[in-house]
Each structure stands twice: as C-alpha cells, then as structure tokens.
C-alpha cells in the first residue's frame, strides 16, 4: 500500500540512493499525505534537507501506530519498537514540557586524567598540544585528543606504569609505546607500562575500549579485565567491562583473539558472566563499536542498557518510576545530539516518557 511505499522512498532518500523518478514519486506522496508542499523536495537545499528529516521521523512514527512500520528489513509490531535513524544528529523538535532546552545537560567530549607512576595527575581536558612530560626514555605527547608514547630506546631502567582515566562525559585516544591504538569510552580506565619490556604486553582495563593492536607474535598483547584475559592474535576488538553491566563482552572486529583461551572470529562476541562462564555469540560488530564512530546504535536494546549509556556520556543520574518497559529499541543517533533530541526520539515510541530535574533524568512509563 502507499504507506509502505512512502516509507520505502524515505529510507532510500535517507541512504542517498533516491533516483529522480523516485524523488518525483516521493514529492507526490508527500503532498497526498498532507505534509506541507511535497514539491519542496530539492535535495540540494539545506533547509529542505532538515524538513525532509523531520518529516521522515514524523511519518515513521505515524506508520508505527498503524503497524506498517518497516525499516532495516524488519516488520514492526507493538512488540518491536524502533528509534529512527537520525542523520548526523540534526535536531528534531518534539514538544514536551518535561524535556526542554533549558536544562544544562550536554554531550561528552575529549578529556581524561593521566595518573603518573608517582601518583601525580595531569588533567588533559585543558592541556594544549605538545609534550606532557618525559619519563626515563619515554616522551608523552598530547595532540588533539590523543595521548602518544614515544620510546627513545628499546630498553628501560625499570617498569613504570601510567593510568589513563576518562570520567563520565569524556573520551580519549591513546597510542601505546608499541603503536597500539586504544579509544577509551566514557567512565573507563586503562593501566599500562610506559615501555613493553617483558615477554608479553599486558594492560588492564575497566569500562570500555576499542583496540587496534600492533601484532607481535613474539610479544603477545593481552588485556586483563577483572578475572578474564583477552589476548590478541592480530586483532581489532572492543571490550565492554563496566562494573554496572551484567557481563563482560569482548567483540572481535578483525583478525582473531582469545578470551580465556576461547578463540574468536570476526563478528563473534564472548560474553563472560559474573560466575566466569563464557558464551560466544554472533553479533553486529558495527553496532557494538558505533560509539567509537560517534554514534549510539541500538539493536533490540533494553531501556535500562540505553540509559546506562546516556548516563555515562551525558554525566547524568537516572532514576525510574513505575518500573521499565520490556520492549527492545532499535535505531541510531549521533552521540553529539542534545539530550533533548535523544529523549524525544525515545518518547516517539509511545512507551516511555522522561522528566529532567537538574542533573537527573527520571524515566516514566
């Protein structure tokens, strides 16, 4: 029916693959749907682009109520609730007296605390580019949100450890002495030696990090996560090990890796529960690492898990009234969207409402 065709054309426009004939058809259907002047669909006009995105969201929300909602090749019913993919975090204005722009809650940004071997701390948020310091034969350079360790020689007098921590609403990138790149998500900590001199290269992690490891079979790279050990076998992987999450998850993006000697292949995720049992699942790796690319991505994600992500990235507290909906949410939105935009998007499902009181978000069914 025409409602399905309209949604199909909107999806194609969103993906940038709409033909001229389809563009004319989309304009006609817009007009028939009564959404202002469908002839305004000039894809080169920035104001019209915003108009299209807003109408796209509105029409999909309407379609959901009619149970015709189709996106990502999935047919929705009331049991499958979708948040709409939102282009580059542009604003959707949805009237809600409880979620207003007056609240001073902002998204996260680059920032971290570097703790040196002697316990002294360096706040990197306000530090400009340049050398942070030199420790023995290692120079530490800070450049545009990246902390890089340069080793002058292959030997070190003694093993010295540093710790990089991101508070809530902060993220940071570090290049370790071996060239391995690590992106730290909000509320995360990595402890590492300033030079890798032993038989392996071991670091410790809490929170979440994305690793691009420089492989060296003669000196394996290992990540200690609580009582678990992840070992690189030529790898890009993500580890989610927040204390408030029900399990530790290691997701392999490229190459191979081991978690407690369980070998992972790309697209597999090892889930270690509190008792140490490990289960390997196939997952959408791109959805798992969306945060590293500046996005929130939900795939049948529970509201409690979504709110934990929001709490860390926006540095807010979350409380609940009347329990939680058990429905799963799907969709993507920029991590740099305002908190109002994200909460409004969630409210479009009709299953949840929010109230902001200072630095607290109250979730209401």
């Amino acid at each position: 029916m025409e409602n399905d065709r309209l949604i199909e054309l909107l999806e194609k426009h969103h993906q940038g693959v709409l033909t001229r004939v389809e563009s004319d058809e989309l304009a006609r259907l817009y007009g028939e749907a009564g959404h202002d002047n469908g002839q305004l669909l000039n894809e080169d006009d920035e104001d019209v682009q915003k108009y299209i995105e807003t109408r796209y969201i509105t029409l999909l929300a309407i379609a959901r109520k009619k149970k015709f909602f189709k996106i990502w090749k999935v047919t929705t019913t009331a049991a499958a609730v979708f948040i709409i993919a939102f282009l580059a975090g542009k604003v959707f204005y949805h009237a809600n007296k409880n979620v207003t722009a007056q609240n001073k809650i902002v998204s996260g940004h680059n920032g971290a605390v570097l703790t040196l071997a002697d316990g002294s701390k360096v706040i990197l948020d306000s530090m400009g580019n340049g050398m942070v310091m030199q420790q023995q034969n290692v120079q530490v350079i800070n450049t545009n949100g990246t902390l890089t360790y340069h080793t002058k020689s292959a030997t070190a007098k003694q093993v010295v450890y540093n710790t990089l921590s991101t508070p809530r609403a902060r993220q940071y990138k570090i290049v370790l002495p071996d060239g391995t790149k690590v992106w730290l998500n909000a509320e995360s900590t990595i402890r590492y030696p300033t030079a890798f001199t032993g038989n392996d290269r071991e670091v410790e992690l809490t929170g979440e990090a994305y690793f691009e490891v420089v492989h060296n079979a003669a000196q394996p790279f290992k990540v200690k996560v609580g009582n678990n050990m992840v070992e690189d076998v030529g790898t890009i992987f993500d580890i989610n090990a927040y204390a408030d999450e029900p399990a530790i998850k290691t997701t392999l993006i490229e190459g191979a890796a081991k978690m407690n000697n369980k070998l992972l292949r790309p697209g597999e995720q090892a889930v270690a529960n509190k008792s140490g049992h490990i289960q390997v699942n196939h997952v959408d790796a791109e959805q798992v690492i969306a945060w590293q690319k500046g996005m929130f991505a939900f795939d049948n994600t529970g509201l409690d898990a979504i709110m934990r992500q929001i709490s860390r990235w926006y540095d807010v507290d979350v409380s609940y009234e009347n329990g939680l909906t058990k429905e799963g949410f799907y969709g993507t939105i920029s991590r740099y969207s305002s908190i109002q935009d994200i909460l409004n998007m969630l409210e479009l499902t009709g299953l949840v409402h929010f109230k902001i009181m200072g630095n607290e978000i109250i979730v209401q069914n």
Side-chain angles (χ1 to χ4, degrees):
M1 56 182 62
E2 285 198 340
N3 189 70
D4 288 328
R5 178 59 176 164
L6 178 57
I7 292 172
E8 178 185 353
L9 292 174
L10 284 167
E11 290 176 19
K12 294 184 74 171
H13 187 285
H14 176 68
Q15 297 163 4
V17 296
L18 198 66
T19 68
R20 175 52 57 190
V21 173
E22 289 171 332
S23 181
D24 292 342
E25 183 183 1
L26 177 57
R28 178 182 63 78
L29 290 175
Y30 256 91
E32 292 177 0
H35 289 279
D36 297 341
N37 186 355
Q39 300 300 324
L40 289 176
L41 291 174
N42 177 353
E43 298 179 20
D44 297 324
D45 188 312
E46 183 177 352
D47 291 335
V48 172
Q49 191 75 8
K50 293 179 181 178
Y51 167 89
I52 292 169
E53 291 160 19
T54 300
R55 294 307 184 196
Y56 176 76
I57 293 164
T58 303
L59 287 172
L60 286 178
I62 293 170
R64 174 192 173 273
K65 292 178 181 178
K66 295 181 179 179
K67 298 187 180 180
F68 300 142
F69 189 177
K70 295 199 302 185
I71 190 170
W72 296 349
K73 298 181 181 179
V74 178
T75 302
T76 184
T77 65
V81 182
F82 284 78
I83 307 169
I84 317 309
F86 197 59
L87 292 178
K90 288 188 171 65
V91 177
F92 169 57
Y93 297 98
H94 173 64
N96 183 334
K97 64 182 180 181
N98 290 328
V99 182
T100 70
Q102 297 176 357
N103 296 283
K104 302 298 182 181
I105 298 174
V106 296
S107 65
H109 56 272
N110 288 336
V113 178
L114 174 64
T115 303
L116 305 175
D118 62 3
S120 59
K121 298 181 184 296
V122 180
I123 308 300
L124 300 176
D125 298 47
S126 56
M127 178 168 286
N129 295 338
M131 187 170 73
V132 177
M133 66 189 53
Q134 182 165 327
Q135 301 174 104
Q136 296 185 12
N137 63 333
V138 178
Q139 284 187 340
V140 185
I141 310 294
N142 188 57
T143 309
N144 299 327
T146 300
L147 195 68
T148 304
Y149 282 72
H150 293 288
T151 304
K152 290 184 175 181
S153 64
T155 60
K157 294 179 182 179
Q158 63 181 29
V159 178
V160 175
Y161 285 87
N162 286 179
T163 301
L164 187 67
S165 299
T166 52
R168 293 204 300 187
R170 299 292 188 275
Q171 63 181 7
Y172 224 72
K173 177 183 174 182
I174 180 173
V175 181
L176 296 172
D178 64 340
T180 291
K181 299 174 184 178
V182 184
W183 285 258
L184 276 186
N185 204 347
E187 204 170 18
S188 302
T189 297
I190 185 169
R191 182 176 181 268
Y192 50 91
T194 59
F196 293 112
T197 59
N199 294 327
D200 53 30
R201 297 165 292 160
E202 184 174 319
V203 302
E204 297 179 29
L205 174 72
T206 60
E208 183 169 18
Y210 172 91
F211 292 82
E212 290 185 357
V213 178
V214 174
H215 184 61
N216 180 356
Q219 193 183 35
F221 188 91
K222 299 179 179 180
V223 184
K224 182 175 173 55
V225 188
N227 295 323
N228 301 282
M229 186 71 73
V230 177
E231 181 177 342
D232 149 65
V233 192
T235 317
I236 298 176
F237 57 88
D238 181 274
I239 299 176
N240 184 313
Y242 287 107
D244 60 352
E245 294 292 342
I248 295 171
K249 298 178 180 178
T250 300
T251 307
L252 186 64
I253 314 303
E254 291 183 14
K258 295 178 182 178
M259 183 175 189
N260 296 354
N261 292 319
K262 279 189 177 291
L263 185 64
L264 298 178
R265 298 300 182 189
E268 291 184 337
Q269 181 182 81
V271 181
N273 63 22
K274 300 297 184 182
S275 65
H277 174 73
I278 295 178
Q279 178 176 328
V280 177
N281 304 317
H282 290 277
V283 298
D284 180 356
E286 289 300 312
Q287 181 264 332
V288 172
I289 64 171
W291 69 268
Q292 192 262 344
K293 300 179 180 180
M295 302 294 293
F296 288 113
F298 309 127
D299 184 6
N300 197 26
T301 307
L303 184 60
D304 53 345
I306 291 174
M307 296 311 297
R308 287 196 294 271
Q309 293 183 46
I310 289 174
S311 174
R312 297 180 197 121
W313 186 237
Y314 288 87
D315 190 15
V316 294
D317 296 322
V318 177
S319 62
Y320 298 89
E321 290 182 356
N322 306 320
L324 279 168
T325 175
K326 296 187 182 301
E327 306 290 357
F329 292 79
Y330 298 76
T332 60
I333 187 170
S334 170
R335 287 195 353 147
Y336 299 98
S337 301
S338 72
I339 190 65
Q340 290 78 24
D341 291 335
I342 292 181
L343 298 184
N344 287 334
M345 294 286 281
L346 289 164
E347 287 194 338
L348 280 175
T349 63
L351 293 177
V352 63
H353 297 283
F354 302 95
K355 182 192 300 182
I356 296 179
M357 301 291 290
N359 201 52
E360 181 183 13
I361 297 175
I362 301 171
V363 182
Q364 304 171 317
N365 279 347

